[in-house]
């Protein structure tokens, strides 16, 4: 007897089902990075687009390394549920927009075939900031990044996201097929322009003519994504079984809030994502800066305050008045570094963020948010600090947030970060006189403006000393 979710499952009346014929759905999107965020965000927007205007916009989901989510998706015929949680109760929706699933580490050829397929019009990505092989000092390729090294050496057998994009585009050019649009959905400032530069640099090393073709014919719109999606737990799966009446290994829990802001520059068409509430604009940067600095920067602060306080979840940190006050103070400083954001009242946005962080039904782990902090510092905390100092402000809140991160690393004696060895070494040699000195000596971690900002660094040291 079948006990897991599949296309044959009979589900309760309260579950929202796909409002289109999945049997007629053809692929048109390749998504790289089959994680929880994509499944609760881009896939949901695509689901809404298909409901509003059916078309060939099925998703072929690619995971670069692990086969586990690919196998789980295959076992469930591409179906999974998203549980939206709030104080008003739980709502369960079945997502059916995914029509293909591939583990790149096991079947590179199938991934390349999907990228080369003329039916593929858009390639979206959520692979995390560290996967792109970006050198923060130059803004170009990091020649020491393992995936970059491998993809330069063997361009026809890619292993990294950039290598797959370049080889996929090369195959299309050779076949006389127009390029796909590359739509980055990771939390990188000006993400489309960053990925465009990296793709062009990698292509240039292989074939200057290919790089010129991509530059002239391709498109790399920027986008800003926002939804809090905690890692699924056993409790998530128990809750899903109660709502579905069957097992769902890929069930997710998330908040009601959902936002996607996209530059409307596509070369081969796109779904009607705006039908699901996506905002199509000429310039994403004001929205992106707002989200990175207010939501993500404050999240980083709260996560490390939680680690220092022995708390597991963001909602627990927000339940401590002194700690939630730190979040508000941080946002009130950072908002002064933002440009006007069309259609957004920033005071209302801050108030909404505080409520979202406090959602008592969302178990967003502090350790999950603290992953790879060194990769997130520049856009979330360091850039706003530089901007605040340039405006003549003391930037005390950003100094506090960075100091809290250092103190949390010191307390844990551990971190999950691409620069783990350097960070832990710096934490180990902290001294009472200038505890942050070894962190500032890590090459490329801090911009020169902050290395030279002695008063800001003193405030940072005061924050460390408070713990």
């Amino acid at each position: 007897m079948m006990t897991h979710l599949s296309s044959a499952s009979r589900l309760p009346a309260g579950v929202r089902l796909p409002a289109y014929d999945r049997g007629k759905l053809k692929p048109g999107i390749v998504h790289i990075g089959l994680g929880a965020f994509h499944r609760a965000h881009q896939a949901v927007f695509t689901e809404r687009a298909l409901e509003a205007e059916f078309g060939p916009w099925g998703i072929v989901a690619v995971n670069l390394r692990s086969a586990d989510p690919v196998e789980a998706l295959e076992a469930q015929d591409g179906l999974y549920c998203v549980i939206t949680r709030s104080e008003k109760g739980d709502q369960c929706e079945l997502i059916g927009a995914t029509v293909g699933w591939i583990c790149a580490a096991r079947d590179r050829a199938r991934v390349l075939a999907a990228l080369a397929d003329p039916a593929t019009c858009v390639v979206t990505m959520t692979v995390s900031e560290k996967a792109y092989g970006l050198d923060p000092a130059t803004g170009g390729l990091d020649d020491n990044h393992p995936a970059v090294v491998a993809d330069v050496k063997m361009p026809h057998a890619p292993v990294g996201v950039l290598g797959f994009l370049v080889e996929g585009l090369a195959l299309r050019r050779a076949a006389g097929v127009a390029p796909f649009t590359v739509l980055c959905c990771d939390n990188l400032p000006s993400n489309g322009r960053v990925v465009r530069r990296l793709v062009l640099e990698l292509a240039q090393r292989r074939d200057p003519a290919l790089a010129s073709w991509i530059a002239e014919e391709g498109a790399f719109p920027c986008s800003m994504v926002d939804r809090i999606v905690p890692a699924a737990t056993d409790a998530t799966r128990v809750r899903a079984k109660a709502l579905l009446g069957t097992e769902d290994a890929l069930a997710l829990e998330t908040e009601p809030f959902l936002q996607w802001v996209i530059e409307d520059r596509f070369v081969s068409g796109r779904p009607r994502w705006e039908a699901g509430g996506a905002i199509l604009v000429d310039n994403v940067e004001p929205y992106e800066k707002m989200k990175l600095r207010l939501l993500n920067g404050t999240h980083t602060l709260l996560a490390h305050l939680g680690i220092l306080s022995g708390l597991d979840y963001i909602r627990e940190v927000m339940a401590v008045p002194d700690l939630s006050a730190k979040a508000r103070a941080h946002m009130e400083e950072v908002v002064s570094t933002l440009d006007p954001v069309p259609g957004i009242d920033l005071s209302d946005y801050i108030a909404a963020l505080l409520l979202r962080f406090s959602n008592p039904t969302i178990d967003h782990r502090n350790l999950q948010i603290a992953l790879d902090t060194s990769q997130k510092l520049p856009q979330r905390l360091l850039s706003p600090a530089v901007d605040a100092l340039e405006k003549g402000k003391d930037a005390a809140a950003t100094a506090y947030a960075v100091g809290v991160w250092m103190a949390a690393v010191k307390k844990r004696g551990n971190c999950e970060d691409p620069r783990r060895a350097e960070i832990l070494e710096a934490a180990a040699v902290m001294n009472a006189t200038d505890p942050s000195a070894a962190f500032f000596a890590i090459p490329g971690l801090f911009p020169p403006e902050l290395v030279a900002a002695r008063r800001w660094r003193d405030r940072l040291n005061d924050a460390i000393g408070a713990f």
Side-chain angles (χ1 to χ4, degrees), residues 429-451:
V429 298
M430 276 185 172
N431 63 74
T433 305
D434 191 1
S436 65
F439 286 88
F440 279 91
I442 296 174
L445 184 57
F446 286 90
E449 299 93 331
L450 296 182
V451 174

Side-chain angles (χ1 to χ4, degrees), residues 120-124 179-183 218-221 265-269:
T120 297
C121 297
V122 182
V123 176
T124 55
F180 43 70
T181 297
V182 178
L183 183 58
F220 296 78
R265 295 187 293 106
F266 291 77
V267 291
S268 301

Side-chain angles (χ1 to χ4, degrees), residues 133-156:
L134 171 67
D135 183 341
T138 67
L141 287 174
D142 178 358
D143 289 320
N144 296 315
H145 190 279
V148 173
V149 172
D151 291 338
V152 168
K153 184 177 181 180
M154 300 185 67
H156 301 296

Side-chain angles (χ1 to χ4, degrees), residues 161-245:
V161 62
L162 298 178
F164 274 103
L165 292 174
V166 172
E167 177 65 2
L169 289 165
L171 292 170
R172 293 173 79 97
R173 177 171 176 261
V177 176
F180 43 70
T181 297
V182 178
L183 183 58
C184 177
C185 302
D186 281 301
N187 285 322
L188 291 164
S190 304
N191 54 12
R193 282 179 276 286
V194 168
V195 174
R196 181 180 188 272
R197 174 176 172 177
L198 297 176
V199 165
L200 291 178
E201 285 191 14
L202 190 59
Q204 180 72 27
R205 297 185 186 190
R206 169 178 173 170
D207 179 357
L210 172 62
S212 296
W213 179 78
I214 296 170
E216 293 168 6
E217 303 293 333
F220 296 78
C222 296
S223 77
M224 183 273 274
V225 299
D226 189 2
R227 194 173 210 186
I228 294 172
V229 186
T233 64
D234 289 341
T236 305
R237 290 177 279 275
V238 169
R239 189 170 289 112
K241 185 174 182 179
L243 291 166
L244 296 172

Side-chain angles (χ1 to χ4, degrees), residues 3-322:
T3 59
H4 61 76
L5 180 65
S6 75
S7 55
S9 298
R10 293 186 178 183
L11 302 178
V15 178
R16 177 174 174 169
L17 304 176
Y20 53 88
D21 186 349
R22 289 191 75 224
K24 295 180 179 179
L25 185 56
K26 304 297 183 185
I29 302 168
V30 170
H31 179 81
I32 304 176
L34 182 50
F37 186 82
H38 159 70
R39 291 187 284 117
H41 189 275
Q42 295 91 23
V44 172
F45 275 103
T46 303
E47 188 83 3
R48 298 284 184 274
L50 290 167
E51 292 173 347
E53 184 178 286
F54 189 77
W57 299 115
I59 300 168
V60 176
V62 175
N63 219 40
L64 291 175
R65 304 285 179 263
S66 174
D68 292 345
V70 173
E71 292 173 351
L73 202 57
E74 182 175 22
Q76 297 184 178
D77 299 331
L79 297 168
Y80 61 90
C81 77
V82 173
I83 304 168
T84 302
R85 307 203 69 207
S86 71
E87 292 176 291
K88 296 179 181 178
D90 295 344
Q91 296 181 335
C92 185
E93 176 179 8
L94 201 67
I95 303 300
T98 307
V99 296
W101 32 88
I102 314 169
C103 174
R106 288 187 177 181
D107 200 341
R108 178 187 292 117
R110 278 187 65 206
V111 178
L112 293 175
L115 293 171
D117 189 337
T120 297
C121 297
V122 182
V123 176
T124 55
M125 298 168 294
T126 49
V127 293
S128 82
E129 296 91 335
K130 65 183 177 182
Y132 289 96
L134 171 67
D135 183 341
T138 67
L141 287 174
D142 178 358
D143 289 320
N144 296 315
H145 190 279
V148 173
V149 172
D151 291 338
V152 168
K153 184 177 181 180
M154 300 185 67
H156 301 296
V159 297
V161 62
L162 298 178
F164 274 103
L165 292 174
V166 172
E167 177 65 2
L169 289 165
L171 292 170
R172 293 173 79 97
R173 177 171 176 261
V177 176
F180 43 70
T181 297
V182 178
L183 183 58
C184 177
C185 302
D186 281 301
N187 285 322
L188 291 164
S190 304
N191 54 12
R193 282 179 276 286
V194 168
V195 174
R196 181 180 188 272
R197 174 176 172 177
L198 297 176
V199 165
L200 291 178
E201 285 191 14
L202 190 59
Q204 180 72 27
R205 297 185 186 190
R206 169 178 173 170
D207 179 357
L210 172 62
S212 296
W213 179 78
I214 296 170
E216 293 168 6
E217 303 293 333
F220 296 78
C222 296
S223 77
M224 183 273 274
V225 299
D226 189 2
R227 194 173 210 186
I228 294 172
V229 186
T233 64
D234 289 341
T236 305
R237 290 177 279 275
V238 169
R239 189 170 289 112
K241 185 174 182 179
L243 291 166
L244 296 172
T246 189
E247 304 278 355
D248 180 358
L250 290 168
L252 295 167
E253 295 177 332
T254 187
E255 62 172 341
F257 185 88
L258 184 66
Q259 188 176 55
W260 198 5
V261 185
I262 312 168
E263 287 180 353
D264 197 5
R265 295 187 293 106
F266 291 77
V267 291
S268 301
R270 61 170 177 81
R272 276 195 60 206
W273 282 314
E274 59 268 44
I279 304 169
L280 279 297
V281 298
D282 293 328
N283 181 16
V284 164
E285 287 188 3
Y287 300 88
E288 173 187 81
K289 188 184 290 186
M290 172 189 73
K291 188 251 181 174
L292 286 169
R293 296 187 176 190
L294 290 176
L295 187 153
N296 296 118
T298 309
H299 240 175
T300 295
L301 166 64
L302 287 169
H304 290 97
L305 284 172
I307 290 168
L308 286 166
S309 303
L311 302 173
D312 289 332
Y313 303 113
I314 288 291
R315 59 173 171 77
E316 293 177 328
V317 184
M318 290 297 294
V320 180
D322 288 347

